[in-house]
């Protein structure tokens, strides 16, 4: 029947089906947001079941043969405009991928994810990886099955990487992390030779409510629309979107660590600006979705690091911060503060790592995930493998599981293949920001005045409004004229840390 | 195929389908809770669409012919235990009723409900009923259609009443409200002859945070499990349940009205105790659902009025309240406080009305709803009709729509037929509480010590654990040995207010 419909009507039917699926997925996102912000303890079991049921429904809606037929039909038509044609092609690709997941597998994955998340919470409470391991082991088995279901060329991990970053492979990532190791290790070693900068004043007592207020002010200054979002507290900061008109961020506050809240706030704010900048009229369609996780991360990293850890940024915000916390910061100069927030120091926790050593944290997770998929590592050995990598790459001893193998939420969510997008994001960010500096006259001066409107417009125009129309690499070439090149990050890091450490 | 299944397996299949439907409905409830607590303004439109989509899905799941066949099959079997048999019979009844709703009507109702809610919010902001009227008019039309779809004997309003209180009719309610008018009017008039009690000190400044803390303490004292629920702030207080393990209440705080938060807190707490007391193992089944709205309301009213507005209750809580607000209450005696919170005074706002005049508020809404369904009233006349009723029954002039026809959320939700259950609830509560006083030795003394465990156990045992197994009237007869009888409320009110006003 679909074949007889005029293209316009067939496309409208496709849009309507996609919006329905988006509604269910966004409902799942609301349930997930609530789970990590306000859910009472005892509500966890039924909530898990509710999310599982909705996941099954979303999956069934998306693998409905009628949708497949409609997509095949539309994909064969020649009178769609380029965006519509791309939407149909991407949805068909998604459809064909989703068809590979049996409903039982989806339900099992959702159920295990819920159990895994709660095992992770409990394991962290007890500070014992062994509490997490049995469920994680089942999760890894499911991920191996998933790789087989999806199919891959080369390494099975490629199947999972592709879920987050279309086109990413172990070959590509082995090269990038080899660059990280070869180029960043000497920079790190030369920094270690210099006198370390002070940052003790960042660990004085910073009042919770004042930190919260400062964070909200930063989000607003960045251009985050509080009428189309909100910030709450959760164990692990995240951004979630229920539509471009309702994009929420969370943060956490440590009264003895000024940075914890601040960087999560700017980071999640960067993600949220991307989601708020996606075209609302394309709700449910690929053109209304983010390009990839790597591009998503480029937005958070650009704001967090290239903007948020720059001297210009704090020229504007530091006086206000000194006002809020005079006891801690009155006697600290802007320059000393700037150096402190950019201190390079190998450490234990990824989310608190500096811009340089951060990529070693990611590399370790990448090696571990690849090894788990290959079967070279077993979840039983993971504590030891983890601790060994930290000794080798970062020269640190891991004193507890909470500060080691249990620190990230990702594996508990089944997100294997996600971590590498963090490094890709930083490298895209460096390349994009360099381009923005060339294309936006007086960008540094604007940042120094706390004005980000032109930068945000540039990002909206270059990145946000395109949705998934371009792949990561197409987008990168379109914006910067070149494919992803690690040298932009290396140049940025070499110059910035060279100045800070007087290299 | 279902016919060939052993009863146990068929019943398990039924349970599984019902749980899936419950999961979707509870997801809708989460989205609704978020809508009224934390949703950013701009998120409203997409949220409405998401709720509509899930409502359609829940509806489609519940009218699936396979479920109908299974229910017919199970209903014809003779080897189900009584609870299972009742579950099947009730689900079949629900199924047959749901079959009467076309999917388009469900979607239209959900969409209109969302628009109506937002029109109500806006109308209240502007204090202008005219902003609400056009959408309300469409809602009333839909409700008339709904009555026709459902079918009825006698008055079309009976179809809607039945949605909230199975078996309720205009004949029954005309009798009850005639009792209210005939018996309560003379009591009210004789109170008006007496010297009015003081309550000005309830309208001094009561700090928001201290009120919040006091409310949370009351909820905990009542036995509300904070590990299986939480309280938040909303425009209009409500209780919502996502499972017996996650039952949430909301409240609102007026710093110049001590009662506003306190009574909503105890009232919603009573609802929440019922929901938390439903058998979790019957999740998704009628035996895991509340008996009716009238019985639900009996639980909130019993706690709010029979317990919460008693002298015994405040013997325990008043000293703490005096401690929290010494400037306001140090010089106010317990007895004067008790009289103040029980002041009888015709007024404008239903939710702030005293126990006596409250039923006149309900009667007015009942008359209006009946009239709208009959077509005797039009939404266009509603402001005038409303104001006229208030002059006639309560001798008050309505100064603004916000304090008049716009005060309740119910019509914006399409809840026509709901209001009468409030009065039924109070009358059931009086009858139940009289029975509890006979069956629980030393109940007043326990209440005077702030101990409600025995009372809660009695309610759990007599009411909560039965779910929907009994109808309201069956339950009432089982607990009290008699059908609902207005005289219990009249006796309670005559004695209580006789003492307070020295009649």
């Amino acid at each position: 029947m679909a074949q007889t419909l005029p293209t316009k009507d067939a496309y409208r039917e496709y849009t309507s089906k996609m919006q329905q699926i988006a509604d269910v997925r966004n409902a799942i996102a609301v349930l997930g947001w609530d789970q990590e912000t306000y859910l009472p303890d005892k509500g966890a079991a039924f909530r898990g079941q509710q999310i599982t049921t909705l996941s099954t429904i979303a999956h069934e809606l998306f693998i409905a043969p009628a949708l497949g037929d409609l997509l095949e039909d539309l994909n064969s038509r020649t009178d769609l405009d380029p965006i519509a044609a791309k939407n149909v092609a991407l949805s068909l690709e998604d459809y064909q991928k989703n068809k590979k997941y049996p409903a039982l597998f989806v339900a099992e994955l959702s159920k295990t994810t819920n159990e895994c998340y709660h095992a992770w919470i409990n394991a962290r409470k007890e500070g014992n990886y062994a509490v997490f391991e049995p469920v994680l082991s089942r999760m890894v088995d499911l991920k191996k099955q998933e790789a087989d279901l999806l199919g891959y060329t080369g390494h099975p991990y490629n199947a999972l990487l592709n879920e987050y970053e279309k086109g990413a492979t172990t070959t590509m990532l082995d090269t990038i992390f080899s660059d990280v190791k070869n180029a960043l290790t000497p920079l790190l070693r030369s920094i270690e030779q210099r006198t370390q900068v002070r940052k003790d004043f960042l660990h004085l007592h910073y009042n919770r409510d004042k930190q919260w207020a400062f964070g909200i002010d930063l989000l607003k200054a960045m251009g985050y629309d509080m009428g189309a979002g909100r910030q709450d507290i959760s164990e692990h900061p995240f951004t979630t979107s229920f539509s471009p008109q309702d994009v929420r961020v969370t943060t956490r506050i440590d009264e003895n660590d000024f940075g914890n809240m601040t960087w999560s706030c700017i980071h999640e704010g960067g993600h949220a600006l991307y989601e708020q900048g996606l075209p609302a009229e394309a709700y449910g369609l690929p053109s209304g979705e983010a390009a990839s996780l790597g591009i998503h991360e480029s937005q958070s990293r650009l704001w967090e690091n290239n903007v948020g850890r720059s001297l210009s940024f704090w020229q504007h915000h530091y006086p206000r911060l000194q006002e809020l916390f005079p006891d801690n910061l009155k006697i600290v100069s802007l320059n000393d503060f700037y150096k402190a927030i950019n201190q390079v120091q190998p450490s234990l926790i990824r989310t608190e790592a500096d811009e340089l050593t951060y990529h070693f944290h990611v590399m370790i997770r990448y090696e571990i995930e690849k090894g788990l998929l290959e079967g070279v590592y077993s979840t039983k050995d993971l504590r030891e493998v983890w601790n060994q990598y930290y000794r080798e790459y970062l020269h640190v001893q891991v004193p507890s599981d909470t500060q080691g193998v249990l620190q990230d939420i990702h594996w508990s969510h089944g997100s294997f293949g996600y971590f590498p997008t963090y490094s890709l994001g930083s490298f895209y960010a460096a390349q994009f920001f360099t381009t923005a500096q060339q294309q936006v006259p007086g960008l540094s001066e604007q940042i120094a005045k706390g004005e980000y409107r032109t930068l945000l417009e540039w990002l909206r125009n270059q990145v946000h409004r395109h949705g998934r129309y371009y792949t990561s690499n197409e987008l990168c070439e379109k914006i910067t004229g070149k494919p992803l090149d690690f040298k932009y990050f290396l140049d940025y890091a070499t110059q910035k840390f060279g100045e800070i450490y007087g290299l």
Side-chain angles (χ1 to χ4, degrees), chain A residues 176-192 344 354-361 363 393 423 426-427 486-487 489-494 497 503:
Chain A
I176 283 181
F177 284 116
S178 147
D179 283 350
V180 166
K181 211 153 68 177
N182 296 335
L184 293 189
T185 305
L187 182 58
L188 186 56
R189 296 298 161 247
S190 58
I191 287 170
E192 283 172 341
V344 173
D354 58 77
E355 284 185 77
L356 274 194
T357 59
Y358 187 87
H359 300 291
F360 292 91
H361 291 266
M363 183 164 57
Y393 289 143
S423 287
S426 290
F427 307 152
F486 177 70
K487 101 173 181 43
F489 180 81
L490 186 61
D491 288 351
Y492 157 77
T494 306
F497 296 103
L503 302 176

Side-chain angles (χ1 to χ4, degrees), chain A residues 67-360:
Chain A
L67 177 60
D69 293 345
L70 181 62
L71 288 168
E72 297 276 11
D73 168 28
L74 275 167
N75 199 44
S76 70
R77 302 201 188 199
T78 52
D79 55 345
L80 288 167
D81 69 59
I83 292 181
K86 180 59 73 89
N87 278 338
V88 168
L90 288 171
S91 289
L92 182 59
E93 195 181 302
D94 294 344
Y95 172 81
Q96 284 161 345
K97 202 170 65 189
N98 265 271
K99 280 298 248 193
K100 295 176 179 171
Y101 289 92
L104 270 175
F105 181 82
V106 174
E108 179 66 18
L109 188 59
S110 172
K111 190 166 150 283
T112 305
T113 301
N114 184 53
E115 287 168 17
C116 209
Y117 170 72
H118 289 284
W120 176 72
I121 293 281
N122 289 332
R124 276 176 65 91
K125 273 184 195 150
E126 297 186 30
N128 184 3
Y129 170 71
V131 173
F132 184 42
E133 192 277 332
V135 196
L136 181 63
S137 170
R138 283 194 283 130
M139 177 62 85
V140 170
D141 286 343
L142 285 172
K143 288 285 140 177
K144 287 179 182 170
Q145 284 178 43
E146 188 175 355
D148 289 338
L149 284 170
L150 290 169
Y152 53 86
T153 50
H155 198 285
Y157 190 41
N158 290 349
L160 304 185
L161 285 170
N162 219 50
E163 292 293 278
Y164 301 108
E165 198 69 19
K166 197 172 151 183
T169 61
T170 53
T171 312
M172 165 202 177
L173 289 170
D174 284 344
T175 307
I176 283 181
F177 284 116
S178 147
D179 283 350
V180 166
K181 211 153 68 177
N182 296 335
L184 293 189
T185 305
L187 182 58
L188 186 56
R189 296 298 161 247
S190 58
I191 287 170
E192 283 172 341
Q193 304 302 312
R194 312 296 299 180
T195 310
Q196 186 51 288
V197 302
R198 269 185 64 195
K199 59 174 266 189
D200 52 316
F201 48 81
L202 298 179
H203 293 275
L204 298 171
H205 183 265
Y206 286 82
N207 172 272
R208 193 179 169 79
D209 294 341
K210 287 186 187 175
Q211 281 201 53
W212 176 264
F214 184 67
I216 294 287
D217 285 349
L218 288 182
L219 284 170
K220 286 180 183 167
M222 288 165 67
Y224 174 72
D225 182 353
M226 281 285 174
R230 49 178 293 114
Q231 181 168 264
D232 297 272
I233 296 286
S234 69
E235 171 92 11
H236 189 97
F238 64 96
T239 302
T240 184
S241 170
F242 314 143
S243 80
Q245 301 297 329
D246 190 359
V247 179
R248 306 192 187 181
V249 293
T250 70
T251 190
R252 61 181 165 204
I253 298 177
D254 178 345
E255 291 203 307
N256 295 111
D257 181 0
F258 165 75
N260 211 319
M261 182 284 300
T262 304
W263 306 123
S264 96
C265 213
I266 305 177
H267 180 95
E268 303 305 333
H271 281 305
L273 288 174
Y274 189 7
E275 291 286 336
Q276 288 187 336
L278 291 169
E281 67 278 12
Y283 175 88
L285 301 179
S287 55
E289 293 171 352
S292 75
L293 274 196
I295 297 301
H296 225 307
E297 197 66 14
S298 78
Q299 300 306 292
S300 56
R301 298 279 155 171
L302 185 147
W303 284 99
E304 180 188 353
N305 295 332
N306 305 80
V307 176
R309 290 187 208 259
S310 71
L311 187 58
S312 312
F313 184 85
W314 291 101
Q315 277 171 5
H316 179 76
H317 292 287
Y318 191 57
R320 162 86 176 130
L321 194 65
Q322 284 182 307
E323 265 175 48
L324 278 172
F325 304 103
D327 293 347
N328 301 348
L329 300 175
K330 204 167 50 190
I331 57 159
V332 178
S333 72
L334 170 62
N335 209 45
D336 284 347
F337 177 79
Y338 169 65
K339 286 181 176 176
I341 60 171
N342 283 293
Q343 190 201 57
V344 173
Q345 173 85 61
S347 65
L348 293 163
I349 308 292
R350 178 184 60 82
T351 56
E352 296 166 16
D354 58 77
E355 284 185 77
L356 274 194
T357 59
Y358 187 87
H359 300 291
F360 292 91

Side-chain angles (χ1 to χ4, degrees), chain A residues 350-416:
Chain A
R350 178 184 60 82
T351 56
E352 296 166 16
D354 58 77
E355 284 185 77
L356 274 194
T357 59
Y358 187 87
H359 300 291
F360 292 91
H361 291 266
V362 173
M363 183 164 57
I364 289 168
R365 287 154 179 78
Y366 167 67
E367 296 294 349
I368 288 175
E369 290 185 351
K370 205 170 55 163
L372 283 170
L373 265 285
E374 280 170 11
V376 171
Y377 299 139
S378 144
T379 51
K380 288 219 191 320
D381 314 321
L382 226 56
R383 178 193 284 138
E384 287 65 37
V385 171
W386 181 282
N387 296 354
Q388 173 55 31
Y389 268 125
Y390 269 77
R391 274 194 295 276
E392 188 184 331
Y393 289 143
L394 287 161
H395 302 178
V396 293
Q397 290 289 337
V398 177
S400 74
D401 292 347
T402 313
Q403 292 167 282
V405 66
L406 287 178
Q407 71 184 261
D408 294 306
I409 201 173
H410 302 61
W411 293 340
S412 82
H413 278 179
S415 302
F416 286 77

